[in-house]
């Protein structure tokens, strides 16, 4: 697993990571089957997956049990349709913040990962009330010197990240970028974005 | 960000394309939305039939990569592709409602006392056009088994009704005759939960998948197809 670049993108305070191809390739993961993902940064990957009915169908089929536990009445088709809509809302919100939002809005948009997440206890964390608890889309970022570096994304159905490999991998990616950046930063923290 | 280290490791190779993705969708919204609907329907059928994308590719005579593009919801389908998909899956993905013959399904309501006296308990309100409404009274929960022995009276073979006994929910059972003053109209049901409304020389097929007894709203009721002749 290796960071290839960190792109400056959205604003002076928002960056996104591009990894070496093998970082996003883990045997048995949904990501393996998409041939067009190489070279994409993590934002491109997030929105191309969240807007791809075929990818989402495979994902929700794989995690059908999690889906049923979250909402026994929801079908894979409904979950896919809803995610397609939510991805558009998510993207629109991010574009608005990126193009017209203030620094303060950006700081408020990202929420600290909750201290229930294993391994995150060292950071200053706070409980954030989720506005739309049924939205499962997440962008993960590292807070770094007053800005944010987006390190990955996930569809998070289960409560804790270590419960599923694809979520655990996002934690690993956060740690990897932290390590990539080198020296210990007092204000460095793991955060996530949801709409 | 005033961060020299980050600036040094920030690539300038190419811009990120993340903003363009939905912009592309917005620009092409009319067909992309339809493409996504077709993708979802195809995925649903594959799931129901236990078929893989490779199976579908073989049946269509295309590559798996092409099937993958179809299922990504970004394929601007040609009619040839749609026809191949329909043949491979054995289903219709696009149905044409002919102009001036489409039927909007309105409410299911309780029949008037006069209609009840004639044995019609519920009425579907159909609107072929805003200016014209067709009322189709239904005999619901009033099936007499012996009635089904006379296919001529109801327009479908007895066998179909017999099959439908198990498939149709109680509320969906029924038949009726529209009180359209100018055109003789008849409503029948088949074993696939499809109600056929014959009006003059045209037949509309209606699928009443669910209706709310409290409000009378027909949810998910759709006009499936129009036959001429």
């Amino acid at each position: 697993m290796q960071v290839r670049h960190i792109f400056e993108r959205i604003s002076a305070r928002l960056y996104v990571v591009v990894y070496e191809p093998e970082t996003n390739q883990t045997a048995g993961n949904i990501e393996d089957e998409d041939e067009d993902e190489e070279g994409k940064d993590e934002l491109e990957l997030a929105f191309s997956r969240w807007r791809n009915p075929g990818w989402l169908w495979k994902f929700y089929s794989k995690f059908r049990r999690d889906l049923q536990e979250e909402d026994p009445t929801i079908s894979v088709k409904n979950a896919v349709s809803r995610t397609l809509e939510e991805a558009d809302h998510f993207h629109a919100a991010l574009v608005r913040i990126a193009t017209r939002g203030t620094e303060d809005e950006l700081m408020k948009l990202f929420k600290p990962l909750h201290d229930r997440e294993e391994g995150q206890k060292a950071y200053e964390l706070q409980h954030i009330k989720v506005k739309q608890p049924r939205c499962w889309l997440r962008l993960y970022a590292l807070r770094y010197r007053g800005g944010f570096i987006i390190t990955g994304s996930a569809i998070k159905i289960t409560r804790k990240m270590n419960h599923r490999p694809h979520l655990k991998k996002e934690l690993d990616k956060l740690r990897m970028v932290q390590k990539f950046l080198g020296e210990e930063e007092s204000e460095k923290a793991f955060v996530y974005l949801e709409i | 960000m005033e961060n020299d280290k980050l600036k040094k490791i920030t690539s300038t190779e190419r811009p990120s394309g993340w903003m363009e993705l939905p912009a592309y969708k917005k620009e092409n919204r009319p067909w992309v939305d339809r493409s996504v609907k077709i993708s979802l329907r195809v995925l649903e059928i594959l799931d129901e039939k236990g078929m893989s994308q490779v199976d579908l590719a073989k049946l269509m005579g295309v590559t798996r990569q092409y099937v993958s593009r179809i299922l990504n919801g970004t394929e601007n389908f040609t009619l040839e592709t749609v026809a191949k998909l329909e043949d491979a899956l054995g289903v219709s993905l696009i149905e044409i409602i002919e102009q001036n013959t489409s039927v909007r399904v309105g409410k299911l309501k309780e029949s008037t006392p006069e209609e009840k006296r004639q044995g019609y308990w519920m009425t579907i309100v159909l609107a072929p056009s805003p200016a014209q409404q067709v009322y189709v009274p239904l005999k619901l929960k009033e099936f007499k088994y012996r009635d089904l022995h006379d296919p001529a009276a109801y327009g479908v073979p007895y066998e179909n009704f017999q099959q439908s006994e198990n498939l149709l929910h109680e509320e969906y059972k029924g038949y009726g005759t529209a009180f359209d003053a100018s055109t003789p109209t008849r409503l029948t049901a088949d074993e696939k939960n499809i109600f056929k409304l014959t009006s003059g020389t045209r037949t509309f097929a209606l699928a009443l998948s669910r209706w709310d007894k409290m409000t009378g709203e027909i949810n998910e009721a759709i006009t499936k197809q129009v036959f001429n002749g």
Side-chain angles (χ1 to χ4, degrees):
Chain A
M1 212 153 77
Q2 195 181 348
V3 177
R4 196 171 78 196
H5 293 299
I6 292 178
F7 280 90
E8 184 171 7
R9 284 292 161 261
I10 301 171
S11 71
R13 292 186 178 276
L14 202 49
Y15 293 72
V16 61
V17 174
V18 180
Y19 296 97
E20 290 294 343
E22 64 269 21
T23 300
N24 280 323
Q25 290 177 358
T26 307
N29 275 11
I30 308 293
E31 295 90 321
D32 292 346
E33 299 172 25
D34 192 326
E35 301 86 357
D36 302 324
E37 295 198 337
E38 191 175 332
K40 284 184 177 174
D41 64 54
E42 289 299 300
L43 268 181
E44 289 174 314
L45 271 180
F47 287 111
S48 67
R49 288 172 183 169
W50 294 346
R51 295 186 56 254
N52 180 335
W55 189 90
L56 290 171
W57 194 285
K58 282 181 205 164
F59 179 85
Y60 285 120
S61 296
K62 184 175 179 180
F63 296 103
R64 204 182 292 247
R65 178 179 280 184
D66 290 342
L67 201 58
Q68 296 291 317
E69 284 176 7
E70 170 73 12
D71 180 354
T73 64
I74 197 168
S75 65
V76 169
K77 187 180 184 181
N78 288 341
V80 173
S81 299
R82 206 170 72 189
T83 304
L84 291 168
E85 280 185 27
E86 284 173 353
D88 279 352
H89 292 310
F90 204 113
H91 187 274
L94 196 59
V95 167
R96 189 183 63 76
I97 294 291
T99 54
R100 299 189 298 278
T102 63
E103 181 184 334
D104 195 41
E105 279 181 291
L106 185 64
M107 299 301 281
K108 284 179 182 170
L109 200 61
F110 284 92
K111 300 162 187 174
L113 277 171
H114 196 272
D115 56 8
R116 282 176 305 193
E117 305 293 359
E118 193 177 326
Q120 302 306 303
K121 292 174 183 173
Y123 298 98
E124 180 190 348
L125 301 167
Q126 64 183 59
H127 179 71
I128 298 294
K129 190 175 180 182
V130 180
K131 279 185 287 185
Q132 295 179 5
R134 298 185 75 186
C135 180
W136 303 311
L137 305 182
R138 297 284 187 280
L139 286 178
Y140 295 103
L142 191 68
R143 198 172 73 208
Y144 185 71
R145 294 188 179 180
F148 295 94
I149 300 167
I150 294 171
T151 60
S153 65
I155 297 176
K156 186 172 180 290
I157 307 173
T158 52
R159 272 167 62 89
K160 293 189 181 181
M161 294 195 73
N162 277 338
H163 285 184
R164 294 291 176 269
H166 72 287
L167 295 174
K168 190 172 180 301
K169 194 169 80 175
E170 293 305 318
L171 281 178
D172 292 341
K173 284 158 73 177
L174 278 163
R175 292 189 188 104
M176 183 179 62
V177 175
Q178 185 183 38
K179 190 178 172 187
F180 179 79
L181 290 170
E183 79 280 10
E184 288 298 318
E185 296 287 339
S186 58
E187 62 171 317
K188 215 153 41 178
F190 294 171
V191 293
Y192 72 98
L193 169 64
E194 65 173 15
I195 300 297
Chain B
M1 186 185 292
E2 293 178 2
N3 184 336
D4 289 341
K5 180 174 180 182
L6 209 47
K7 278 185 181 173
K8 281 178 190 169
I9 59 175
T10 298
S11 169
T12 53
E13 276 179 12
R14 66 172 181 85
S16 173
W18 79 276
M19 274 202 191
E20 283 76 50
L21 284 167
Y24 169 81
K25 184 179 178 183
K26 190 176 179 183
E27 190 178 308
N28 298 282
R29 175 77 72 172
W31 68 262
V32 169
D33 282 354
R34 288 166 174 79
S35 180
V36 166
K37 281 182 184 172
I38 290 174
S39 301
L40 282 175
R41 182 69 185 122
V42 171
L43 286 160
E44 189 177 28
I45 296 164
L46 291 178
D47 205 33
E48 286 168 2
K49 292 177 180 274
M51 286 171 64
S52 68
Q53 292 184 28
V54 175
D55 296 333
L56 180 59
K58 282 179 186 168
L59 285 169
M60 290 178 70
V62 298
T63 63
R64 194 197 69 80
Q65 287 75 15
Y66 184 66
V67 168
S68 180
R69 265 170 40 209
I70 289 172
L71 300 179
N72 286 352
T74 53
E75 180 67 12
N76 194 349
F77 293 104
T78 62
L79 287 174
E80 182 186 8
T81 304
V82 172
K84 279 183 180 176
L85 271 172
E86 290 184 337
D87 289 346
L89 296 170
V91 298
S92 177
L93 295 169
I94 296 179
E95 292 177 346
I96 306 298
I97 307 297
E98 291 188 5
Q99 199 174 6
N100 301 324
T101 58
S102 63
V103 176
R104 289 186 299 113
V105 180
K107 286 190 173 183
L108 192 65
K109 69 178 185 69
E110 197 173 359
S111 297
T112 63
E114 174 57 31
E115 288 166 345
K116 280 186 178 176
R117 272 196 288 278
Q118 295 181 43
Y120 300 117
W121 288 79
M122 301 298 286
T123 299
I124 298 178
V125 183
L126 303 171
S129 70
Q132 183 194 8
Q133 287 198 329
V134 178
Y135 293 84
V136 185
L138 295 171
K139 279 185 177 178
L140 291 169
K141 300 180 184 176
E142 285 295 298
F143 264 106
K144 298 286 190 299
Y145 204 68
R146 56 186 169 79
D147 291 343
L148 305 177
H149 287 277
D150 183 10
Y154 307 105
V156 293
Y158 164 62
E159 292 75 19
N160 286 353
F161 266 121
Q162 196 173 35
Q163 288 175 32
S164 73
E165 283 289 298
N166 294 325
L167 293 170
L168 293 178
H169 192 271
E170 184 69 18
E171 284 91 350
Y172 301 154
K173 295 175 184 174
Y175 68 94
T177 304
F179 290 134
D180 179 348
S182 60
T183 313
T185 305
R186 186 171 59 190
L187 187 73
T188 55
D190 69 10
E191 75 280 9
K192 290 181 180 173
N193 206 12
I194 302 295
F195 284 70
K196 285 185 179 175
L197 174 68
T198 306
S199 181
T201 58
R202 297 177 311 209
T203 299
F204 306 96
L206 310 171
L208 304 184
S209 53
R210 207 166 61 204
W211 67 280
D212 187 327
K213 278 193 260 188
M214 298 297 289
T215 64
E217 294 282 354
I218 302 173
N219 301 314
E220 300 174 23
I222 49 173
T223 305
K224 291 290 286 185
Q225 210 163 354
V226 176
F227 306 96
N228 282 322

PDB file of all heavy atoms in Angstrom, chain A residues 68-86:
ATOM      1  N   GLN A  68     -30.034  -5.740   5.635  1.00  0.00           N
ATOM      2  CA  GLN A  68     -31.281  -6.228   6.239  1.00  0.00           C
ATOM      3  C   GLN A  68     -31.328  -5.896   7.736  1.00  0.00           C
ATOM      4  O   GLN A  68     -32.396  -5.611   8.270  1.00  0.00           O
ATOM      5  CB  GLN A  68     -31.414  -7.738   6.046  1.00  0.00           C
ATOM      6  CG  GLN A  68     -31.536  -8.165   4.597  1.00  0.00           C
ATOM      7  CD  GLN A  68     -32.842  -7.745   3.964  1.00  0.00           C
ATOM      8  OE1 GLN A  68     -33.886  -7.861   4.568  1.00  0.00           O
ATOM      9  NE2 GLN A  68     -32.780  -7.228   2.743  1.00  0.00           N
ATOM     10  N   GLU A  69     -30.161  -5.938   8.385  1.00  0.00           N
ATOM     11  CA  GLU A  69     -30.139  -5.606   9.810  1.00  0.00           C
ATOM     12  C   GLU A  69     -30.416  -4.116  10.027  1.00  0.00           C
ATOM     13  O   GLU A  69     -31.042  -3.720  11.000  1.00  0.00           O
ATOM     14  CB  GLU A  69     -28.776  -5.983  10.424  1.00  0.00           C
ATOM     15  CG  GLU A  69     -28.657  -7.478  10.648  1.00  0.00           C
ATOM     16  CD  GLU A  69     -27.283  -7.878  11.171  1.00  0.00           C
ATOM     17  OE1 GLU A  69     -26.482  -6.976  11.488  1.00  0.00           O
ATOM     18  OE2 GLU A  69     -27.021  -9.085  11.234  1.00  0.00           O
ATOM     19  N   GLU A  70     -29.940  -3.314   9.097  1.00  0.00           N
ATOM     20  CA  GLU A  70     -30.179  -1.872   9.186  1.00  0.00           C
ATOM     21  C   GLU A  70     -31.646  -1.548   8.906  1.00  0.00           C
ATOM     22  O   GLU A  70     -32.258  -0.730   9.575  1.00  0.00           O
ATOM     23  CB  GLU A  70     -29.269  -1.146   8.174  1.00  0.00           C
ATOM     24  CG  GLU A  70     -29.556   0.324   7.985  1.00  0.00           C
ATOM     25  CD  GLU A  70     -29.121   1.184   9.144  1.00  0.00           C
ATOM     26  OE1 GLU A  70     -28.392   0.683  10.021  1.00  0.00           O
ATOM     27  OE2 GLU A  70     -29.528   2.360   9.177  1.00  0.00           O
ATOM     28  N   ASP A  71     -32.187  -2.180   7.883  1.00  0.00           N
ATOM     29  CA  ASP A  71     -33.569  -1.927   7.504  1.00  0.00           C
ATOM     30  C   ASP A  71     -34.133  -3.196   6.859  1.00  0.00           C
ATOM     31  O   ASP A  71     -33.863  -3.470   5.690  1.00  0.00           O
ATOM     32  CB  ASP A  71     -33.627  -0.744   6.518  1.00  0.00           C
ATOM     33  CG  ASP A  71     -35.044  -0.425   6.094  1.00  0.00           C
ATOM     34  OD1 ASP A  71     -35.977  -1.170   6.466  1.00  0.00           O
ATOM     35  OD2 ASP A  71     -35.232   0.572   5.378  1.00  0.00           O
ATOM     36  N   PRO A  72     -34.916  -3.981   7.609  1.00  0.00           N
ATOM     37  CA  PRO A  72     -35.399  -5.266   7.102  1.00  0.00           C
ATOM     38  C   PRO A  72     -36.271  -5.155   5.856  1.00  0.00           C
ATOM     39  O   PRO A  72     -36.455  -6.124   5.132  1.00  0.00           O
ATOM     40  CB  PRO A  72     -36.221  -5.820   8.273  1.00  0.00           C
ATOM     41  CG  PRO A  72     -35.767  -5.064   9.469  1.00  0.00           C
ATOM     42  CD  PRO A  72     -35.337  -3.721   8.988  1.00  0.00           C
ATOM     43  N   THR A  73     -36.797  -3.953   5.613  1.00  0.00           N
ATOM     44  CA  THR A  73     -37.727  -3.828   4.475  1.00  0.00           C
ATOM     45  C   THR A  73     -37.011  -3.436   3.185  1.00  0.00           C
ATOM     46  O   THR A  73     -37.610  -3.445   2.122  1.00  0.00           O
ATOM     47  CB  THR A  73     -38.793  -2.753   4.772  1.00  0.00           C
ATOM     48  OG1 THR A  73     -38.133  -1.479   4.903  1.00  0.00           O
ATOM     49  CG2 THR A  73     -39.555  -3.065   6.051  1.00  0.00           C
ATOM     50  N   ILE A  74     -35.735  -3.099   3.285  1.00  0.00           N
ATOM     51  CA  ILE A  74     -35.071  -2.543   2.097  1.00  0.00           C
ATOM     52  C   ILE A  74     -34.522  -3.660   1.209  1.00  0.00           C
ATOM     53  O   ILE A  74     -33.990  -4.660   1.690  1.00  0.00           O
ATOM     54  CB  ILE A  74     -33.946  -1.560   2.503  1.00  0.00           C
ATOM     55  CG1 ILE A  74     -33.558  -0.680   1.317  1.00  0.00           C
ATOM     56  CG2 ILE A  74     -32.738  -2.286   3.058  1.00  0.00           C
ATOM     57  CD1 ILE A  74     -32.678   0.492   1.694  1.00  0.00           C
ATOM     58  N   SER A  75     -34.684  -3.473  -0.095  1.00  0.00           N
ATOM     59  CA  SER A  75     -34.139  -4.434  -1.057  1.00  0.00           C
ATOM     60  C   SER A  75     -32.822  -3.879  -1.590  1.00  0.00           C
ATOM     61  O   SER A  75     -32.502  -2.697  -1.407  1.00  0.00           O
ATOM     62  CB  SER A  75     -35.116  -4.621  -2.215  1.00  0.00           C
ATOM     63  OG  SER A  75     -35.242  -3.408  -2.935  1.00  0.00           O
ATOM     64  N   VAL A  76     -32.086  -4.748  -2.261  1.00  0.00           N
ATOM     65  CA  VAL A  76     -30.831  -4.301  -2.877  1.00  0.00           C
ATOM     66  C   VAL A  76     -31.129  -3.190  -3.883  1.00  0.00           C
ATOM     67  O   VAL A  76     -30.441  -2.164  -3.933  1.00  0.00           O
ATOM     68  CB  VAL A  76     -30.113  -5.484  -3.567  1.00  0.00           C
ATOM     69  CG1 VAL A  76     -28.961  -4.996  -4.430  1.00  0.00           C
ATOM     70  CG2 VAL A  76     -29.600  -6.459  -2.521  1.00  0.00           C
ATOM     71  N   LYS A  77     -32.211  -3.384  -4.649  1.00  0.00           N
ATOM     72  CA  LYS A  77     -32.553  -2.384  -5.668  1.00  0.00           C
ATOM     73  C   LYS A  77     -32.857  -1.033  -5.021  1.00  0.00           C
ATOM     74  O   LYS A  77     -32.405   0.015  -5.498  1.00  0.00           O
ATOM     75  CB  LYS A  77     -33.754  -2.864  -6.481  1.00  0.00           C
ATOM     76  CG  LYS A  77     -34.067  -1.968  -7.667  1.00  0.00           C
ATOM     77  CD  LYS A  77     -35.253  -2.479  -8.445  1.00  0.00           C
ATOM     78  CE  LYS A  77     -35.505  -1.632  -9.678  1.00  0.00           C
ATOM     79  NZ  LYS A  77     -36.662  -2.102 -10.443  1.00  0.00           N
ATOM     80  N   ASN A  78     -33.613  -1.057  -3.935  1.00  0.00           N
ATOM     81  CA  ASN A  78     -33.929   0.200  -3.246  1.00  0.00           C
ATOM     82  C   ASN A  78     -32.676   0.861  -2.694  1.00  0.00           C
ATOM     83  O   ASN A  78     -32.534   2.078  -2.750  1.00  0.00           O
ATOM     84  CB  ASN A  78     -34.909  -0.053  -2.087  1.00  0.00           C
ATOM     85  CG  ASN A  78     -36.286  -0.378  -2.590  1.00  0.00           C
ATOM     86  OD1 ASN A  78     -36.614  -0.093  -3.738  1.00  0.00           O
ATOM     87  ND2 ASN A  78     -37.103  -0.982  -1.749  1.00  0.00           N
ATOM     88  N   ALA A  79     -31.788   0.044  -2.137  1.00  0.00           N
ATOM     89  CA  ALA A  79     -30.547   0.585  -1.572  1.00  0.00           C
ATOM     90  C   ALA A  79     -29.712   1.242  -2.668  1.00  0.00           C
ATOM     91  O   ALA A  79     -29.138   2.319  -2.469  1.00  0.00           O
ATOM     92  CB  ALA A  79     -29.756  -0.528  -0.882  1.00  0.00           C
ATOM     93  N   VAL A  80     -29.666   0.595  -3.832  1.00  0.00           N
ATOM     94  CA  VAL A  80     -28.896   1.168  -4.943  1.00  0.00           C
ATOM     95  C   VAL A  80     -29.517   2.488  -5.392  1.00  0.00           C
ATOM     96  O   VAL A  80     -28.829   3.501  -5.553  1.00  0.00           O
ATOM     97  CB  VAL A  80     -28.821   0.174  -6.130  1.00  0.00           C
ATOM     98  CG1 VAL A  80     -28.185   0.835  -7.344  1.00  0.00           C
ATOM     99  CG2 VAL A  80     -28.038  -1.077  -5.743  1.00  0.00           C
ATOM    100  N   SER A  81     -30.844   2.489  -5.577  1.00  0.00           N
ATOM    101  CA  SER A  81     -31.521   3.713  -6.034  1.00  0.00           C
ATOM    102  C   SER A  81     -31.295   4.856  -5.058  1.00  0.00           C
ATOM    103  O   SER A  81     -31.026   5.988  -5.455  1.00  0.00           O
ATOM    104  CB  SER A  81     -33.028   3.469  -6.182  1.00  0.00           C
ATOM    105  OG  SER A  81     -33.273   2.478  -7.131  1.00  0.00           O
ATOM    106  N   ARG A  82     -31.412   4.537  -3.789  1.00  0.00           N
ATOM    107  CA  ARG A  82     -31.261   5.572  -2.770  1.00  0.00           C
ATOM    108  C   ARG A  82     -29.820   6.116  -2.756  1.00  0.00           C
ATOM    109  O   ARG A  82     -29.592   7.315  -2.636  1.00  0.00           O
ATOM    110  CB  ARG A  82     -31.613   4.993  -1.401  1.00  0.00           C
ATOM    111  CG  ARG A  82     -32.079   6.048  -0.429  1.00  0.00           C
ATOM    112  CD  ARG A  82     -32.636   5.420   0.802  1.00  0.00           C
ATOM    113  NE  ARG A  82     -31.591   4.841   1.618  1.00  0.00           N
ATOM    114  CZ  ARG A  82     -31.818   4.081   2.677  1.00  0.00           C
ATOM    115  NH1 ARG A  82     -33.061   3.787   3.005  1.00  0.00           N
ATOM    116  NH2 ARG A  82     -30.835   3.613   3.390  1.00  0.00           N
ATOM    117  N   THR A  83     -28.866   5.207  -2.905  1.00  0.00           N
ATOM    118  CA  THR A  83     -27.466   5.636  -2.906  1.00  0.00           C
ATOM    119  C   THR A  83     -27.165   6.534  -4.106  1.00  0.00           C
ATOM    120  O   THR A  83     -26.428   7.522  -3.981  1.00  0.00           O
ATOM    121  CB  THR A  83     -26.529   4.412  -2.918  1.00  0.00           C
ATOM    122  OG1 THR A  83     -26.858   3.588  -1.812  1.00  0.00           O
ATOM    123  CG2 THR A  83     -25.078   4.825  -2.821  1.00  0.00           C
ATOM    124  N   LEU A  84     -27.754   6.196  -5.251  1.00  0.00           N
ATOM    125  CA  LEU A  84     -27.536   7.032  -6.438  1.00  0.00           C
ATOM    126  C   LEU A  84     -28.015   8.459  -6.180  1.00  0.00           C
ATOM    127  O   LEU A  84     -27.366   9.432  -6.551  1.00  0.00           O
ATOM    128  CB  LEU A  84     -28.280   6.434  -7.650  1.00  0.00           C
ATOM    129  CG  LEU A  84     -27.725   5.111  -8.180  1.00  0.00           C
ATOM    130  CD1 LEU A  84     -28.705   4.478  -9.177  1.00  0.00           C
ATOM    131  CD2 LEU A  84     -26.374   5.319  -8.862  1.00  0.00           C
ATOM    132  N   GLU A  85     -29.159   8.575  -5.530  1.00  0.00           N
ATOM    133  CA  GLU A  85     -29.685   9.909  -5.198  1.00  0.00           C
ATOM    134  C   GLU A  85     -28.804  10.611  -4.164  1.00  0.00           C
ATOM    135  O   GLU A  85     -28.490  11.790  -4.286  1.00  0.00           O
ATOM    136  CB  GLU A  85     -31.109   9.787  -4.638  1.00  0.00           C
ATOM    137  CG  GLU A  85     -32.162   9.623  -5.697  1.00  0.00           C
ATOM    138  CD  GLU A  85     -33.557   9.618  -5.112  1.00  0.00           C
ATOM    139  OE1 GLU A  85     -33.753  10.218  -4.045  1.00  0.00           O
ATOM    140  OE2 GLU A  85     -34.435   8.998  -5.720  1.00  0.00           O
ATOM    141  N   GLU A  86     -28.440   9.857  -3.124  1.00  0.00           N
ATOM    142  CA  GLU A  86     -27.636  10.453  -2.055  1.00  0.00           C
ATOM    143  C   GLU A  86     -26.274  10.907  -2.573  1.00  0.00           C
ATOM    144  O   GLU A  86     -25.734  11.915  -2.122  1.00  0.00           O
ATOM    145  CB  GLU A  86     -27.462   9.449  -0.913  1.00  0.00           C
ATOM    146  CG  GLU A  86     -28.722   9.320  -0.076  1.00  0.00           C
ATOM    147  CD  GLU A  86     -28.626   8.203   0.958  1.00  0.00           C
ATOM    148  OE1 GLU A  86     -27.639   7.445   0.932  1.00  0.00           O
ATOM    149  OE2 GLU A  86     -29.548   8.098   1.772  1.00  0.00           O
TER     150      GLU A  86
END
